[in-house]
Amino acid sequence: MQQKVLRTLEFDKIREQLLEHVSSSLGYEKVQRFAPSSDYEEVIKLQNETDEAVNVLRLKGNVPLGGIFDIRPHLKRAAIGGMLRPQELMQIASTVHASRQIKKFIQELAEETDLPILISYTEEIIVLAELEEKIRHAIDDGGEVLDSASDALRTLRQQLRSRERRVREKLESMIRSSSAQKMLSDAIITIRNDRFVIPVKQEYRGHYGGIIHDQSSSGQTLFMEPQSVVQLNNELQEIRVKEQQEIERILIELSLLVGEYENDLLTIVHIMAELDFLFAKARYGKKIKGSKPAVNDKGIIKLFQARHPLIPIDEVVANTITLGEEYTTIVITGPNTGGKTVTLKTLGLCTVMAQAGLQIPALDGSEIAVFDAVYADIGDEQSIEQSLSTFSSHMVNIVDILERVDFNSLVLFDELGAGTDPQEGAALAISILDEVYRRGARVIATTHYPELKAYGYNRPGVINASVEFNVETLSPTYKLLLGVPGRSNAFEISKRLGLKDSVIEMAKSYISADSNQVENMIASLEKSRRLAEQEAEEAHELLKDAEKLHKDLQKQMVTYYEKKEELVEKAKEEASQIVEKAREEAEGVIRDLRKLRLEKSAAVKEHELIDARKRLAEAEPEKSPVKIGKKSKTTKHTFQPGDEVMVHSFGQKGHLLESTGKNEWQVQIGILKMKVHERDMEYIETPKQKEVKPIVMVKGRDTSVGLELDLRGERYDAALIRVEKYIDDALLANYPRVSIIHGKGTGALMRGVQEYLKNHRSVKKIRFGEAGEGGTGVTIVEFK
């Protein structure tokens, strides 16, 4: 991928934004070096890596990546026998500790979710707990060597503290004497050249004797080491030298130990750099509300509601761009400042971002092709250094592109053929597009030339497009319109700005008949497009409602059969208990009869037999007067709309709506409507009023409340408002359980929805969906 193209598409600004999310200098270095890949398998791996990191952030919010340092220079010195400073050793211990923490973090999380790539990284991390412990045993967090580093160092420091105490006591006795106030500039003990001294006035220097180490700027105060403490200071210096020698011995020993683990530590540095880079990409994807695109090697691009990542989310206009299936070339026509160049850069930038392993600012389900190269001729390319005009500079770029382009290339032309005679420029533009199209490349070109408006109609695989302009507000909407060439709108704009009709009519007379026909055709296309969009939206809503009803029916059936099996099992168990109780009672009666026969020699009286028979009759289980699944043996009823009936095949009560002929009726059972034959129904009663009893239903937008709510593509605040209303409606409909589809994405919507549900007084339990229910993209809600 050419660096010039990456700069043109502003990929360097993506790098700058990514740098804000790294945790160490190692990650910083990786971000500065990273670039798009043209290898299909590698791009898939890069996307999967980022997706796993995004899942970790979604589940945990953050990862323990603090305390990582670039210790490679330290390792190099240690490997050749050099002595490392205490701070360098602490950086090594800190990096080892960080690697151990992230390894533990990923392994524990992998028990909850599938993280094969991250696990493969952490498995390479060697746990060097012993090395970390030895360094921390010898050096504190501030980089100071501890007394516990060795027994010899502990002894020397005890001696040092003892000698210092003796020197201080000696000097304090001097400064507290009666003459000290007169002879000393101040009653304090200070240090010069690592030796304890006192500030003596110049005129009394001979009173104390000893060594002068320093004097004040005025020369009136001398910092003297009195003769009486010279020997004690000498002993202190000897101990300090021994202390320093012992510290150097400890540091050399630790440095040699670090050198022995050089390869393991280099592996840790490499893995920590990769992990820091991965989670930086994941944090950036979360920031731009990105999604993982599907990747193909067939030149197919499908971007749903794609946004330019460098334009603030609250300002950017999202567009759907498709390329590579029905058509391989898009020609965007229309006036300046309409958003044509932004559309080019959005497509190009999303492509290189995806090939670099970044998530793209588009909806879930978007798809990106992996190209061997992306070529772009965008912006004012005038070159002062080479004395080239804008047109000449553009042509230099285009010549270079035509020498390199092939079937696996993406080419972006901005204002193709501009900067020269319009007629010649249009002819060149058509010729260049034909050449690139012939080579099989994917192309998007923008142009002002009206001659190119007919280009898409004359060639298969080419489609016109434009960026919508609102004549009423005299401003562009930045919405891409595929299949509709752009209009100049000059006459409409001029009229709204107050230009006289006579002037406009005269201008129109100068326009050729062919141009007028083209403009009228475009206007007709725009009208047809708006009508088609409206009808498509209505059809889409109807399809969504039908799909929801279908899903609701399926779920109701599943719930019914689950409940039916549960009730059958419960009935069997209760029947078994009743029969067992009856059997025990019968056995008791038989025992009593036998006992009577033995005691009274079979002379059992009639009333005793009657009592026994009565006990047997009481032991017999009661029979239910109604048997579900069979028709009542009452007089046959003539069914009428509004009748309440029992539908035997479902074991549910319903109301008759209307006859569908041939002894069939449409029956309302709960929220479901279905056709049922009369032989499968049993009449219960007719309401006093002949109207059908209203079924408890909560109406949404012209449809019943379904068992699931789809929030994908919604903004965060709007989604939470929909969730709040939907939960209220579901409670009114007496649903025991519903599903909320929020998708995976960045995880912000999922967390917001689940936080709201956890605090709702009517919610009993929430959980993620099973594999067959949508996984972590769906939250199942159970009500109290």
Side-chain angles (χ1 to χ4, degrees):
M1 198 80 63
Q2 294 179 333
Q3 289 300 316
K4 180 182 177 181
V5 172
L6 295 180
R7 286 195 301 272
T8 300
L9 295 175
E10 300 179 289
F11 187 70
D12 53 330
K13 293 183 180 179
I14 299 295
R15 282 200 193 101
E16 291 173 9
Q17 291 186 351
L18 195 57
L19 288 173
E20 300 172 6
H21 301 282
V22 298
S23 301
S24 69
S25 60
L26 296 173
Y28 191 94
E29 183 181 335
K30 289 280 293 182
V31 170
Q32 287 187 316
R33 291 204 315 264
F34 102 110
S37 170
S38 57
D39 183 270
Y40 175 67
E41 297 297 334
E42 184 180 5
V43 171
I44 291 177
K45 178 177 179 293
L46 291 173
Q47 284 292 336
N48 289 336
E49 286 178 346
T50 306
D51 189 51
E52 282 192 18
V54 168
N55 284 338
V56 171
L57 291 180
R58 178 177 57 80
L59 292 172
K60 293 297 183 181
N62 207 344
V63 290
L65 282 172
I68 304 171
F69 297 92
D70 185 1
I71 59 175
R72 288 172 293 185
H74 314 339
L75 299 179
K76 188 174 181 180
R77 289 205 346 264
I80 61 175
M83 184 185 78
L84 301 180
R85 297 191 301 273
Q87 292 85 352
E88 293 172 336
L89 288 166
M90 274 309 301
Q91 288 180 2
I92 292 172
S94 177
T95 303
V96 170
H97 178 74
S99 70
R100 190 159 51 85
Q101 290 295 106
I102 193 67
K103 182 183 179 82
K104 179 183 177 184
F105 175 82
I106 296 296
Q107 287 178 340
E108 289 179 351
L109 188 58
E111 296 176 2
E112 303 175 20
T113 187
D114 193 27
L115 302 172
I117 298 175
L118 292 177
I119 282 293
S120 68
Y121 275 126
T122 56
E123 284 176 347
E124 295 183 45
I125 296 176
I126 299 93
V127 177
L128 301 176
E130 182 181 356
L131 174 62
E132 179 192 350
E133 184 180 355
K134 285 186 177 181
I135 294 175
R136 292 190 181 278
H137 181 72
I139 304 170
D140 65 13
D141 293 335
E144 297 294 329
V145 180
L146 298 168
D147 294 358
S148 58
S150 72
D151 293 338
L153 184 61
R154 182 185 290 107
T155 301
L156 287 170
R157 286 186 172 171
Q158 287 174 349
Q159 293 175 359
L160 195 62
R161 286 189 285 269
S162 175
R163 294 294 191 281
E164 285 180 352
R165 188 166 53 252
R166 289 176 59 188
V167 172
R168 285 185 176 277
E169 288 173 355
K170 188 76 173 175
L171 292 176
E172 283 175 359
S173 66
M174 292 182 181
I175 64 177
R176 285 199 300 267
S177 65
S178 57
S179 59
Q181 187 175 3
K182 180 177 69 172
M183 291 185 287
L184 299 180
S185 297
D186 200 354
I188 60 170
I189 301 169
T190 186
I191 295 175
R192 293 291 187 276
N193 301 324
D194 290 333
R195 299 177 78 90
F196 288 98
V197 296
I198 55 176
V200 180
K201 293 179 180 179
Q202 172 71 28
E203 58 269 27
Y204 297 107
R205 58 185 295 179
H207 178 77
Y208 291 100
I211 304 169
I212 298 173
H213 290 278
D214 196 6
Q215 68 177 12
S216 65
S217 57
S218 64
Q220 297 300 311
T221 300
L222 304 176
F223 293 95
M224 296 186 62
E225 178 185 358
Q227 186 64 43
S228 58
V229 296
V230 169
Q231 183 58 33
L232 290 174
N233 268 332
N234 288 341
E235 293 175 2
L236 268 176
Q237 285 299 100
E238 290 177 8
I239 297 172
R240 287 195 182 106
V241 170
K242 292 179 181 178
E243 178 196 24
Q244 190 59 39
Q245 290 173 345
E246 179 62 16
I247 288 173
E248 289 181 1
R249 186 195 66 78
I250 292 167
L251 294 178
I252 290 172
E253 182 180 308
L254 290 174
S255 300
L256 291 174
L257 183 61
V258 168
E260 294 176 9
Y261 290 104
E262 180 190 12
N263 292 333
D264 292 343
L265 288 167
L266 285 173
T267 300
I268 287 174
V269 169
H270 170 70
I271 299 301
M272 296 306 288
E274 288 291 339
L275 292 176
D276 191 7
F277 178 52
L278 280 184
F279 284 106
K281 291 194 293 183
R283 292 188 191 99
Y284 179 69
K286 181 179 179 181
K287 176 187 175 183
I288 65 171
K289 295 185 178 179
S291 64
K292 176 188 175 184
V295 179
N296 69 78
D297 57 355
K298 300 175 182 177
I300 298 172
I301 297 174
K302 295 178 182 178
L303 296 178
F304 300 117
Q305 297 300 300
R307 295 170 276 108
H308 194 292
L310 299 177
I311 301 176
I313 293 178
D314 56 347
E315 298 176 12
V316 69
V317 175
N319 276 307
T320 295
I321 309 171
T322 58
L323 182 68
E325 287 186 316
E326 297 178 6
Y327 45 87
T328 59
T329 300
I330 300 176
V331 179
I332 307 176
T333 54
N336 280 331
T337 70
K340 300 192 302 295
T341 303
V342 171
T343 301
L344 283 187
K345 288 189 174 182
T346 299
L347 177 67
L349 200 49
C350 283
T351 298
V352 296
M353 285 174 64
Q355 292 188 210
L358 292 171
Q359 295 196 334
I360 61 173
L363 295 183
D364 287 338
S366 296
E367 191 168 355
I368 283 289
V370 177
F371 295 103
D372 289 339
V374 176
Y375 301 106
D377 180 54
I378 299 175
D380 187 358
E381 296 290 337
Q382 187 175 27
S383 175
I384 297 174
E385 293 84 356
Q386 299 179 25
S387 300
L388 295 176
S389 67
T390 300
F391 174 75
S392 299
S393 186
H394 275 296
M395 288 311 301
V396 168
N397 284 340
I398 291 170
V399 168
D400 182 62
I401 291 171
L402 292 179
E403 288 177 354
R404 301 169 184 268
V405 71
D406 61 15
F407 71 95
N408 200 27
S409 302
L410 173 65
V411 185
L412 307 172
F413 290 126
D414 189 28
E415 298 301 342
L416 185 60
T420 186
D421 177 77
Q423 189 172 358
E424 293 181 356
L428 270 174
I430 292 172
S431 178
I432 292 167
L433 285 176
D434 281 342
E435 176 64 18
V436 179
Y437 174 78
R438 185 182 62 79
R439 299 196 192 181
R442 303 299 186 262
V443 187
I444 296 188
T446 69
T447 181
H448 274 122
Y449 296 132
E451 290 85 351
L452 269 72
K453 293 178 181 179
Y455 184 80
Y457 295 108
N458 299 330
R459 290 163 178 79
V462 181
I463 189 172
N464 281 316
S466 59
V467 182
E468 190 176 56
F469 189 90
N470 191 327
V471 180
E472 298 296 324
T473 62
L474 302 181
S475 61
T477 65
Y478 305 106
K479 184 177 180 182
L480 181 67
L481 306 175
L482 288 172
V484 180
R487 299 173 62 194
S488 65
N489 298 307
F491 294 146
E492 289 86 348
I493 294 172
S494 300
K495 184 175 182 179
R496 289 191 62 81
L497 291 176
L499 190 64
K500 292 181 179 179
D501 290 344
S502 59
V503 176
I504 294 173
E505 290 302 321
M506 185 178 296
K508 286 182 178 180
S509 68
Y510 295 142
I511 299 296
S512 67
D514 290 342
S515 297
N516 275 324
Q517 288 177 2
V518 169
E519 289 299 318
N520 291 335
M521 177 190 69
I522 293 172
S524 176
L525 282 173
E526 287 185 351
K527 183 178 179 182
S528 299
R529 176 192 57 78
R530 285 192 290 267
L531 181 61
E533 284 182 352
Q534 182 180 352
E535 292 176 349
E537 186 175 351
E538 292 174 357
H540 181 64
E541 291 298 326
L542 289 172
L543 179 61
K544 281 173 62 178
D545 293 343
E547 288 176 347
K548 281 187 177 181
L549 286 173
H550 179 66
K551 289 179 181 178
D552 290 347
L553 177 60
Q554 288 180 323
K555 290 184 178 181
Q556 288 277 3
M557 292 294 291
V558 169
T559 303
Y560 160 69
Y561 282 116
E562 288 176 353
K563 194 70 176 176
K564 178 182 177 183
E565 291 176 4
E566 180 184 337
L567 291 173
V568 168
E569 288 299 321
K570 185 176 180 181
K572 287 180 179 179
E573 184 179 348
E574 291 177 353
S576 177
Q577 292 175 355
I578 293 170
V579 170
E580 184 63 30
K581 182 179 179 182
R583 185 182 294 113
E584 291 175 359
E585 187 67 27
E587 289 292 335
V589 171
I590 292 171
R591 283 195 300 271
D592 290 345
L593 287 172
R594 286 174 178 168
K595 185 178 178 182
L596 286 171
R597 186 180 64 184
L598 293 173
E599 290 178 353
K600 303 184 179 182
S601 301
V604 181
K605 296 181 179 180
E606 185 64 24
H607 73 275
E608 292 172 335
L609 287 174
I610 292 171
D611 290 340
R613 188 180 295 111
K614 183 178 179 182
R615 288 174 61 194
L616 281 171
E618 291 173 350
E620 181 180 351
E622 292 184 5
K623 296 179 180 178
S624 175
V626 178
K627 295 182 179 180
I628 295 175
K630 295 183 180 180
K631 294 177 70 175
S632 175
K633 294 181 181 180
T634 58
T635 304
K636 184 175 180 180
H637 175 74
T638 301
F639 291 108
Q640 296 178 0
D643 285 355
E644 185 177 359
V645 296
M646 171 66 72
V647 181
H648 298 307
S649 58
F650 290 97
Q652 297 286 332
K653 292 180 181 179
H655 291 83
L656 299 184
L657 298 180
E658 61 180 355
S659 174
T660 58
K662 297 181 181 179
N663 298 326
E664 278 189 344
W665 288 79
Q666 188 178 45
V667 184
Q668 177 93 42
I669 303 177
I671 65 168
L672 302 177
K673 295 178 182 179
M674 58 188 68
K675 292 181 180 179
V676 181
H677 198 279
E678 288 185 357
R679 64 171 173 268
D680 194 27
M681 297 187 301
E682 179 181 339
Y683 169 75
I684 297 178
E685 64 176 347
T686 302
K688 291 180 180 180
Q689 295 181 354
K690 290 297 180 180
E691 296 178 0
V692 180
K693 289 185 179 179
I695 309 301
V696 178
M697 294 169 60
V698 181
K699 290 287 183 180
R701 189 179 56 195
D702 300 326
T703 182
S704 302
V705 173
L707 289 172
E708 63 183 27
L709 173 65
D710 193 342
L711 300 175
R712 288 174 294 184
E714 290 280 353
R715 290 184 177 272
Y716 181 86
D717 294 336
L720 288 187
I721 292 172
R722 285 192 63 195
V723 170
E724 182 177 2
K725 182 179 183 305
Y726 176 71
I727 293 298
D728 291 341
D729 292 345
L731 288 168
L732 287 173
N734 203 27
Y735 289 166
R737 179 177 63 188
V738 294
S739 303
I740 297 180
I741 304 171
H742 42 66
K744 299 178 182 178
T746 63
L749 182 56
M750 175 271 293
R751 289 193 295 274
V753 169
Q754 293 197 347
E755 187 65 29
Y756 170 78
L757 293 172
K758 287 177 183 175
N759 297 321
H760 199 287
R761 63 181 181 275
S762 299
V763 173
K764 178 181 179 183
K765 183 175 74 172
I766 63 171
R767 63 175 175 82
F768 284 121
E770 302 294 341
E773 296 175 318
T776 55
V778 176
T779 294
I780 307 299
V781 187
E782 293 184 13
F783 297 117
K784 296 179 179 177

